[in-house]
Amino acid sequence: MEPASRLDHNYELTIKDFPYIIRWRDDRCKRCGRCTAVCPMLSIEPAVVVQRAVRSEGLTPEPKVVRKTVSVVRQTSDIGRYCTGCGTCTLVCPNDAIEPEYNPQHKFIFHKNRGGHPYRRGGRRNDPQPGTLDRLKFTRISMLTDPALDAGRHEFRIRTYLGRILPPDELPLKVVNGRLDVDKTLTDFIPPVREIYPVMIGSMSIGALSPTMWEGLAMGITYLNEVEGMPVVMCSGEGGMPARLLKSRFMKYFILQIASGYFGWDEIVRAIPHMVEDPCAIEIKYGQGAKPGDGGLLMAHKVLKLISEIRGVPMGVDLPSPPTHQTKYSIEESVAKMIQSMSMAWGFRVPVYPKISGSRTARAVLNNLVRNPFASALSIDGEDGGTGAAYNVSMDKMGHPIASNLRECYLDLVKQGKQNELPLIASGGVGKKGNLAANSAALFMLGASAVSIGKYIMQAAAGCLGDEYNRCNVCNIGKCPRGITTQDPKLYRRLDPDNVAERVVEVFKSLDVELKKIFAPMGRSTELPIGMSDGISADDPAVAERLEISYAC
Amino acid sequence: MCRLSAITSSEYISPMENILALETMKEGHDGSGMGLLLKNLGGEFEELKDYPILSGICSKDGLHALDSYMDNLGFQLKYTWTPKIKPVKGVERRDYYFARAYEYPDAFREKGIEEREALLMSTRIALRKMGEGDESIIVFSFYPDIIALKEVGDPLQLGEFFGLDTSTLKAKIILAQGRQNTNYAINLYACHPFFIQGYGSMTNGENTAFIPIREFLTSRGFPGYMGYNSDSEVFTHILHYTCRRLGYPLTYYKDIITPLKTSEIETRPDSEATEFLKISLRPLCIDGPNCVIGFTPDGTCFMVQDSKKLRPGVVGGVKGKFALMSEECGLDRAIPDRERSNDIFPMKYDMVVVSPGAEEVKVWNQLQGWTTTMS
C-alpha cells in the first residue's frame, strides 16, 4: 500500500482556492517572459512541462502519440505567493495572452495564516458594497420659488476653516463710532484659523508612499495653491518631511502629523528655528479608520536611506508605532498635553488637532476637545479608510462607518451650540465608488467642515490597482506594482511625479466643478452647506432615521 | 415669491396703503396669506405707548384660557382693539382677532426694560405653546407699540375682511407681506412679518440655508429663538442676535448674512473685525434668494439683498414718507409724487437704511461705506 503521507494532499491548495486565477493562453503567448518578470508576488513563473500530442503526418490517418517538452506560464499554488489580481502581467503582455480573473468561490481566507501568522496586507476594506455615503442623494433642488444658482456663471466660494473658531460672544470686539474694532486691550487667546479648500489629502507618510508619489502629490497641491488659487492642503503622515521642505516656503501647504512613534520629529524640532513659514496645522494621530486601535508599521524593507534620514532611524529595521502614545497616561491627558505642547512649539500660531478612528467613543473624545480651548478640530477616520499595512481582520472587521459617526458628533455639537467652533474633518471611504464630489458634499451636509481623501487620490492620480475584492492590496510588502507604496527604485521609477502632480490638479479642478454642480441647484454658493441636512435623503428608512435626514425611495 | 410692502412715515398712515401697494404686485403672491406689522401706533393706541400690546387670534375657549393665564401673571387689561369683521368670500373667519394693551404686573412696574422684555417674551411663548395643539391661541407679538395681524387669504380681501379701510388702526411704520406659500402647509405662524423684542422683518424669497441657521440660533440658549414655521423667521432672529444680543451696529447685519470675500474684506477699515464676524458667524450666512425688509426698535427701516441680488427690491419716497417695496409698481402706488430718479435699487453689497421718522435714506455699501443719501 502507498504510505499515507504520499496520498494526503489535504494541505495543498488548488488554484480554485485562490482569489484570482491566471488565465494564460498558450496559443497567444510568445514566451517573452515579461509577465513573470513583472509579477510583484512571483505568483506566475515560467515552467517546463511535457505534453502528450496525437499526430498524423501521412496521407492516411496514422495517429501517433508524441511527447514534447514545452515552456508554459504557471500559476503557483503556494499561498505565500498568491496572485493578488493586480493585472500587471496583463499590462506588459504584448499579445493579450494573460490576465487574472476574480474567483468569487475562493477560500483564501481559510488558509492565509500559515506559520501562525495572520494575513496582513495594505489597501482597503474588503467590502464591495456601496457605503452609506453612496446611498445618499441630494433631494432638495431649488426650482420655482427659489431658482437654482448657475454653477457656471455665479461666483462660488468653496472654502472652509481649519482651526478653533471663537464663538461670536467671545470675539474681542468693541463698537467705536458705529464701527466694530478689535479690542487690543484684551489679552485673551485668539486661536489660529486657516482658510483651506474643504477637501484635503489625508495622512500618507513619506515611507508608506514612494518618493515619486509623495513628490507628485506635493507638487500637485503646490500648483493648486500657487497657480489655480485653490488652497488644497495635504497631511505629511507620520514620519516627518525632508529638511529642505521643512525650511521652505511651501510648508504652509502641509499639515504635519505626529503619531505615537514620533518618527521624524527630531528633524522637525531641529528645523523649527529655520522655518520660514508655519505649517498649515499639526495633526496628532491617535487612530486610523482602517485599523482602529492598532499602531502603525513601516516594514524594514521600506526603510531605505532616504527614509532613515527623514525619520532619524537606522536603515532596514521595522518601524512600529504603538497603538497609543505610550508616554501618556490617558487619552484625555495625552490629547491635552500634546495639543498644548505642539501649539507652544509654534507660538500658538498653528492649529493643532487630533485624528481618531471612527468609533462609538468618538463623542467622548469630541466632548473632551470641546472643553479644551487649544483644540483646533477633530478629524474622524471611518472604517472604509485605507492603510499601508494592517492585519486583514482589523481592516475588514474593525471600525465604525464615518457617516453615522460624524453625524452624531455634529449633532452633539449642535446641542451644545458649538457646531461652528470645533470643525469636524471626516474621512474613510470618501470616493470609494468614485463619487468623490457627491460623497464629500454629503459629508458636509451631515456636518463635516472638511473631508480627507487618501485612497481616492492614489487611485485617481497614480492608478492604484487595489479594490474591495482584495485586488492587489500589497502596499505592505514594498512591491507595489504601480510604484506608489514602495521604496524600491526599480518599482517607483515606474511612476512619473510630474504625471502624478498633473493628475492631482485635474482631480481637484474637476472636483471643484462637480461640487458647484451639487451646491448650485441647492442654492448654496457663499459658504459650504455644512449641516444642511435637509438637502439630502437616504434610500433606506433605517439609514435616514439614524442620520436624522429624510427618506426618499 | 412673496411681495413685500413697507412704508415708513412721519405721519400716521393706514395699513390700507400697504395693502393697495401689494395689490399692484398681485401677480407675485398667491393669496395664501397676509401679514401686517405696525409700529409707532396712532389712533387709540397713541396714548398707550408704554403698555405692551398682545396681538393674535383666539377661539372662544382659547380666549378664556388666555384671560385666565394673563390674570394669573398679574397683567391687567387696559384696552382691547378688535377689527369689525366684514365677511368676505374665501376668508374663513376665526372667533376672535385682537390687539390688547395690558398694564404690567405690579412686580414689574418698577423694573428695567430688559426684565420687562424678558417677561413679555416668556409670556408670548407660553401662550403660543398653550394654543399650539388646537390653534385655540395664536399669538404674533407682545410688545409696546407693536401690533401684528395675520390671516390666510388675499391681501385686498383681508383688508376688507378686517375693515381696515374704515378702521382707526394707524401707524408710522407698517410692514405688509402678501404670501406665496413656500412652506408646504398653510400655517399662520409661517406668515411674515416676524417680530421679536423690538425687531421686525419680512422676506421676499426662500432661505436655502435655513437648517444650519435654525440649528445655530436654537443652540444659542435664548428662549425666543424658537418656532420657525417659516424658513424666513430666522432673518428676524439673526437681526435680533446681531444688534441686540451681540450689540453690533445694524450695518453688520449685512456683513453677517452676506459675508465678503477675504480679498474684499481687506479693503475695509474694519477688516480685522469683519473677518472675525465672517468666521465666527459662518452658519448665519445666507445664499438667498432673499430680499429682507425690517425695522429696529428705534424705528430705523432697512432693505438688504442676498449676495447674488436674486430678488427685486426698491426704496423711494419723499422726506417724511418712504416706501420699501418688492417692486416699483408698489412704490408708484404708495408714493406716486416722488422724484423717481432718486429711487434706490439696492444691489448685492448694499443695505438701504431709512432713518427714524422717515427723515432720510442712506445706502450702506459693504465696500464703500455710506455713499448715497436722500433726504
Side-chain angles (χ1 to χ4, degrees):
Chain A
M1 280 179 72
E2 290 255 14
S5 58
R6 288 179 56 184
L7 293 173
D8 182 2
H9 294 282
N10 290 331
Y11 298 100
E12 293 171 20
L13 299 176
T14 70
I15 296 299
K16 282 285 277 183
D17 293 322
F18 285 80
Y20 289 89
I21 297 172
I22 297 290
R23 298 289 172 212
W24 172 72
R25 294 181 60 167
D26 190 358
D27 56 331
R28 288 190 179 180
C29 179
K30 67 169 190 175
R31 274 74 174 173
C32 66
R34 290 185 195 177
C35 56
T36 51
V38 85
C39 178
M41 298 297 288
L42 305 177
S43 309
I44 46 174
E45 55 196 3
V48 175
V49 292
V50 176
Q51 285 181 346
R52 173 181 176 275
V54 180
R55 285 188 182 170
S56 176
E57 289 175 349
L59 291 171
T60 54
E62 288 178 46
K64 273 196 279 186
V65 173
V66 290
R67 289 177 184 277
K68 61 174 185 176
T69 305
V70 291
S71 58
V72 296
V73 172
R74 191 167 61 187
Q75 180 176 3
T76 175
S77 62
D78 173 4
I79 194 137
R81 295 188 287 138
Y82 69 101
C83 171
T84 64
C86 71
T88 317
C89 50
T90 315
L91 275 176
V92 298
C93 178
N95 288 343
D96 294 336
I98 190 165
E99 64 178 343
E101 187 177 286
Y102 182 62
N103 170 27
Q105 280 89 36
H106 73 85
K107 290 188 171 174
F108 176 74
I109 209 75
F110 292 88
H111 302 288
K112 188 70 177 108
N113 53 8
R114 297 294 157 98
H117 302 300
Y119 173 37
R120 281 173 292 179
R121 64 184 178 87
R124 72 277 322 287
R125 198 162 157 258
N126 283 328
D127 180 7
Q129 298 306 313
T132 309
L133 295 177
D134 282 310
R135 307 192 64 176
L136 304 180
K137 284 187 181 177
F138 307 102
T139 46
R140 188 198 182 284
I141 314 297
S142 302
M143 283 284 165
L144 291 172
T145 63
D146 172 17
L149 297 173
D150 187 328
R153 290 191 186 84
H154 282 132
E155 188 181 354
F156 282 76
R157 207 174 66 86
I158 301 176
R159 298 288 184 271
T160 194
Y161 298 115
L162 179 61
R164 180 75 170 220
I165 295 172
L166 282 180
D169 40 12
E170 286 179 25
L171 289 175
L173 300 178
K174 59 179 178 183
V175 181
V176 181
N177 298 329
R179 207 177 81 184
L180 281 178
D181 273 344
V182 174
D183 190 347
K184 305 281 186 193
T185 60
L186 298 175
T187 52
D188 293 342
F189 170 58
I190 299 173
V193 176
R194 308 276 194 256
E195 188 176 280
I196 61 167
Y197 196 74
V199 179
M200 57 172 93
I201 298 179
S203 45
M204 294 179 287
S205 67
I206 307 179
L209 296 185
S210 65
T212 44
M213 181 64 190
W214 208 89
E215 190 186 349
L217 293 178
M219 285 196 295
I221 61 153
T222 306
Y223 186 93
L224 283 165
N225 274 277
E226 301 197 345
V227 181
E228 298 293 338
M230 290 173 70
V232 180
V233 295
M234 71 179 266
C235 182
S236 69
E238 186 186 18
M241 280 165 58
R244 265 182 63 203
L245 193 49
L246 288 169
K247 296 171 192 168
S248 75
R249 68 184 175 84
F250 305 108
M251 205 47 216
K252 58 189 170 189
Y253 310 139
F254 292 91
I255 296 171
L256 275 174
Q257 191 187 69
I258 182 165
S260 48
Y262 303 96
F263 295 121
W265 272 80
D266 279 354
E267 308 299 317
I268 291 170
V269 170
R270 271 195 280 273
I272 288 177
H274 310 288
M275 283 186 181
V276 294
E277 287 279 357
D278 287 334
C280 172
I282 307 293
E283 179 176 283
I284 307 164
K285 179 192 152 191
Y286 288 93
Q288 158 178 14
K291 45 174 176 175
D294 205 354
L297 174 61
L298 189 68
M299 294 170 108
H301 45 251
K302 279 187 164 183
V303 187
L304 302 186
K305 187 163 181 284
L306 173 73
I307 306 306
S308 76
E309 280 172 6
I310 294 173
R311 297 199 173 200
V313 293
M315 283 170 63
V317 295
D318 277 342
L319 299 182
S321 277
T324 176
H325 288 250
Q326 303 286 343
T327 51
K328 305 292 189 301
Y329 221 53
S330 66
I331 183 83
E332 296 90 341
E333 182 195 355
S334 167
V335 169
K337 283 185 178 167
M338 290 290 289
I339 289 176
Q340 194 86 358
S341 46
M342 286 296 131
S343 299
M344 208 182 311
W346 273 276
F348 295 91
R349 298 185 308 270
V350 176
V352 181
Y353 66 89
K355 171 189 171 184
I356 58 166
S357 312
S359 158
R360 289 183 62 185
T361 57
R363 279 166 69 190
V365 179
L366 177 72
N367 284 316
N368 196 266
L369 296 178
V370 164
R371 294 190 295 277
N372 181 348
F374 300 104
S376 297
L378 175 63
S379 176
I380 308 173
D381 191 13
E383 64 170 357
D384 267 325
T387 182
Y391 284 98
N392 183 65
V393 69
S394 303
M395 294 189 72
D396 281 2
K397 295 297 174 195
M398 306 285 288
H400 197 302
I402 186 62
S404 57
N405 211 197
L406 170 87
R407 185 71 178 142
E408 64 191 15
C409 284
Y410 177 75
L411 291 176
D412 206 337
L413 288 178
V414 169
K415 263 187 214 149
Q416 301 176 60
K418 306 273 187 191
Q419 62 268 51
N420 189 48
E421 294 174 33
L422 197 74
L424 296 171
I425 304 164
S427 55
V430 185
K432 177 180 172 180
K433 291 282 177 190
N435 305 313
L436 177 61
N439 288 177
S440 305
L443 279 166
F444 299 144
M445 289 175 200
L446 292 174
S449 285
V451 157
S452 257
I453 55 169
K455 279 181 318 192
Y456 181 89
I457 201 71
M458 290 210 278
Q459 209 137 11
C464 162
L465 299 160
D467 70 6
E468 284 76 22
Y469 291 91
N470 206 17
R471 183 182 171 196
C472 195
N473 294 344
V474 289
C475 331
N476 57 324
I477 59 170
K479 301 265 185 200
C480 172
R482 283 295 205 206
I484 303 169
T485 58
T486 175
Q487 299 302 329
D488 181 347
K490 275 186 285 185
L491 292 170
Y492 69 64
R493 281 186 61 244
R494 294 175 182 182
L495 201 62
D496 181 348
D498 287 337
N499 285 343
V500 174
E502 191 178 331
R503 286 290 298 141
V504 168
V505 173
E506 286 171 351
V507 165
F508 275 93
K509 283 178 71 178
S510 54
L511 167 69
D512 200 56
V513 173
E514 285 196 330
L515 285 176
K516 285 178 194 169
K517 286 285 176 191
I518 295 170
F519 297 160
M522 305 180 79
R524 207 64 174 138
S525 62
T526 317
E527 280 294 343
L528 270 196
I530 299 170
M532 201 170 128
S533 53
D534 59 333
I536 46 176
S537 298
D539 64 1
D540 179 322
V543 170
E545 189 184 358
R546 180 75 172 82
L547 299 180
E548 298 188 30
I549 58 174
S550 61
Y551 161 60
C553 58
Chain B
M1 185 177 75
C2 313
R3 290 296 191 269
L4 312 174
S5 160
I7 304 175
T8 168
S9 164
S10 56
E11 306 294 327
Y12 290 109
I13 54 167
S14 160
M16 275 316 284
E17 291 196 28
N18 295 63
I19 292 172
L20 291 170
L22 281 179
E23 181 62 14
T24 65
M25 305 184 258
K26 188 169 182 174
E27 74 280 8
H29 57 77
D30 66 358
S32 65
M34 180 185 69
L36 286 169
L37 190 60
L38 294 81
K39 179 180 166 63
N40 285 359
L41 304 173
E44 55 266 51
F45 285 101
E46 198 174 350
E47 307 300 318
L48 298 166
K49 294 228 180 264
D50 295 333
Y51 302 101
I53 301 166
L54 184 68
S55 42
I57 304 170
C58 276
S59 66
K60 284 180 182 129
D61 293 343
L63 187 61
H64 292 305
L66 184 142
D67 277 339
S68 134
Y69 185 79
M70 296 300 279
D71 281 349
N72 278 342
L73 284 179
F75 281 105
Q76 294 158 22
L77 187 61
K78 279 198 73 80
Y79 181 77
T80 300
W81 173 88
T82 53
K84 290 189 179 66
I85 299 295
K86 182 178 167 192
V88 172
K89 195 181 171 194
V91 179
E92 194 181 327
R93 182 188 173 149
R94 294 172 205 251
D95 291 347
Y96 188 62
Y97 300 88
F98 63 88
R100 309 169 111 202
Y102 285 91
E103 173 64 270
Y104 285 102
D106 293 344
F108 282 83
R109 284 187 198 167
E110 304 303 321
K111 291 210 168 157
I113 182 133
E114 286 200 7
E115 282 160 306
R116 285 182 175 194
E117 284 186 325
L119 169 76
L120 298 179
M121 196 181 68
S122 63
T123 308
R124 174 183 164 191
I125 293 170
L127 287 170
R128 173 177 177 151
K129 286 183 176 162
M130 275 167 63
E132 210 153 39
D134 55 0
E135 290 200 336
S136 59
I137 303 174
I138 299 168
V139 177
F140 303 123
S141 62
F142 189 25
Y143 202 77
D145 217 14
I146 292 285
I147 289 177
L149 201 58
K150 299 180 183 182
E151 188 44 277
V152 174
D154 178 77
L156 197 58
Q157 286 183 325
L158 283 173
E160 201 182 341
F161 174 77
F162 286 127
L164 293 176
D165 45 347
T166 56
S167 166
T168 53
L169 194 61
K170 287 184 167 40
K172 288 185 179 175
I173 297 175
I174 301 175
L175 267 53
Q177 187 222 21
R179 294 202 70 214
Q180 169 96 17
N181 185 51
T182 53
N183 292 284
Y184 320 115
I186 309 277
N187 182 319
L188 262 184
Y189 271 122
C191 196
H192 311 205
F194 301 101
F195 175 80
I196 184 167
Q197 290 191 331
Y199 297 86
S201 82
M202 55 187 177
T203 312
N204 175 5
E206 187 172 352
N207 178 9
T208 50
F210 170 55
I211 297 290
I213 297 178
R214 183 185 67 185
E215 284 176 347
F216 184 85
L217 288 169
T218 50
S219 61
R220 292 309 94 191
F222 183 72
Y225 299 155
M226 50 84 72
Y228 305 118
N229 292 89
S230 166
D231 57 4
S232 298
E233 191 163 8
V234 296
F235 290 108
T236 316
H237 291 182
I238 297 173
L239 176 65
H240 177 269
Y241 185 65
T242 305
C243 298
R244 174 71 182 268
R245 306 273 298 160
L246 297 175
Y248 299 160
L250 175 63
T251 51
Y252 289 96
Y253 181 60
K254 175 72 177 153
D255 286 314
I256 288 171
I257 59 175
T258 59
L260 295 171
K261 286 186 287 186
T262 302
S263 57
E264 293 169 329
I265 288 179
E266 283 164 3
T267 66
R268 298 243 314 226
D270 54 354
S271 56
E272 226 178 327
T274 314
E275 186 70 25
F276 270 130
L277 297 193
K278 179 183 165 190
I279 296 173
S280 289
L281 292 155
R282 166 166 63 157
L284 298 184
C285 160
I286 64 160
D287 272 314
N290 298 109
C291 169
V292 184
I293 296 174
F295 61 72
T296 57
D298 68 353
T300 300
C301 293
F302 67 88
M303 174 186 283
V304 68
Q305 287 285 355
D306 62 79
S307 58
K308 303 263 177 319
K309 169 68 171 125
L310 288 165
R311 283 289 180 261
V314 58
V315 180
V318 294
K319 186 170 180 174
K321 190 173 187 182
F322 290 102
L324 305 89
M325 295 280 168
S326 291
E327 292 184 17
E328 212 173 347
C329 57
L331 192 53
D332 288 344
R333 181 67 182 78
I335 309 171
D337 51 352
R338 70 192 190 283
E339 180 57 56
R340 291 171 62 105
S341 61
N342 287 339
D343 288 354
I344 301 164
F345 297 85
M347 295 305 287
K348 62 178 190 173
Y349 294 118
D350 299 333
M351 173 186 244
V352 185
V353 179
V354 186
S355 63
E359 282 294 312
E360 62 171 354
V361 182
K362 290 181 178 177
V363 178
W364 164 260
N365 182 286
Q366 282 178 286
L367 299 175
Q368 309 295 334
W370 297 106
T371 52
T372 311
T373 57
M374 180 163 62
S375 59

